[in-house]
Amino acid sequence: MRCSQDNCHREAAKRGLCGACYKRLRLRGDLPSVWQVHKKQETMEFLTASLVVETDDCIEWPFGRTGVGYGLVSYQGKRMGPHRVVCLLAYGSPPFPNADAAHFVCGNRGCVNKRHLRWSSRMQNVDDARRHGRLTFGQKAASAKLTSDNVRAIRLDTRSTSVIAQEYGVWPHTIRNVKRGRTWAHLR
């Protein structure tokens, strides 16, 4: 028996729905009237078509995305970002061992334009994310307990790490890392 949702051709598992449709029903409480299911063929056709387009504009990934904006596709039995698939198809395997990241030159996580993508190391990718303003660090990080002013004061404080940690409501190792420059290194 097939899933009862329109455009879904998977095998039904529970309540007449496939596993994916049932999970969405359970998590969201309802299903849209037209459930968008994109077959591998559709996504691969889009990716191969994007390889022949010669433009300097971003080519936006129109299918499913993760919560942080990256596309997601199944390629050769693995789930990966379509930007990575474009790099593989356009440039082949990564050219050097630590070139394990498909790098967005444009800074747009949904872009699949081969002119905007290249292989890079993770460090090059992090540097570029910082340049594009996509990397949160310091007091902008959601988990930050300290501010830049706190860090400057901690570095000048000569009391024991335990006393300083208690004052700021953090662990002593946090204070040691701040003093040694392992964290908040951008404030040197």
Side-chain angles (χ1 to χ4, degrees):
M1 186 169 119
R2 296 283 176 212
C3 179
S4 62
Q5 274 304 114
D6 293 337
N7 297 328
C8 184
H9 305 289
R10 294 189 205 108
E11 196 66 30
K14 297 177 183 176
R15 294 187 178 180
L17 300 170
C18 69
C21 292
Y22 181 75
K23 183 177 179 181
R24 182 176 173 131
L25 176 65
R26 209 168 33 93
L27 293 174
R28 297 188 181 182
D30 67 339
L31 288 168
S33 58
V34 178
W35 175 249
Q36 298 251 334
V37 176
H38 304 289
K39 297 179 183 175
K40 286 182 197 175
Q41 182 180 352
E42 288 177 80
T43 56
M44 287 310 297
E45 284 172 4
F46 181 83
L47 286 176
T48 52
S50 74
L51 289 171
V52 296
V53 174
E54 298 296 332
T55 180
D56 289 329
D57 296 330
C58 288
I59 301 172
E60 291 288 331
W61 178 248
F63 303 108
R65 292 193 190 198
T66 64
V68 291
Y70 291 103
L72 198 58
V73 67
S74 179
Y75 179 70
Q76 294 182 344
K78 296 179 184 175
R79 290 180 65 170
M80 62 178 69
H83 55 284
R84 189 167 179 82
V85 175
V86 168
C87 273
L88 286 167
L89 295 173
Y91 309 118
S93 296
F96 47 96
N98 67 340
D100 52 3
H103 178 82
F104 295 99
V105 178
C106 61
N108 178 0
R109 294 174 178 173
C111 182
V112 291
N113 186 340
K114 69 180 179 206
R115 291 183 178 182
H116 296 187
L117 299 167
R118 64 180 171 84
W119 291 116
S120 69
S121 69
R122 285 195 192 271
M123 200 61 212
Q124 290 169 323
N125 214 11
V126 167
D127 289 342
D128 193 58
R130 183 176 289 127
R131 220 177 2 265
H132 285 290
R134 289 190 330 263
L135 192 68
T136 56
F137 56 92
Q139 64 190 37
K140 291 181 185 175
S143 60
K145 302 267 190 267
L146 301 171
T147 66
S148 299
D149 291 337
N150 293 152
V151 170
R152 289 184 188 98
I154 289 167
R155 288 189 176 152
L156 296 173
D157 200 330
T158 57
R159 295 177 294 165
S160 73
T161 56
S162 300
V163 171
I164 300 169
Q166 209 168 24
E167 181 181 325
Y168 289 100
V170 296
W171 292 98
H173 73 267
T174 302
I175 301 299
R176 278 192 293 278
N177 287 338
V178 165
K179 284 185 169 268
R180 292 175 182 163
R182 290 184 184 154
T183 56
W184 294 81
H186 64 284
L187 287 181
R188 288 184 185 224

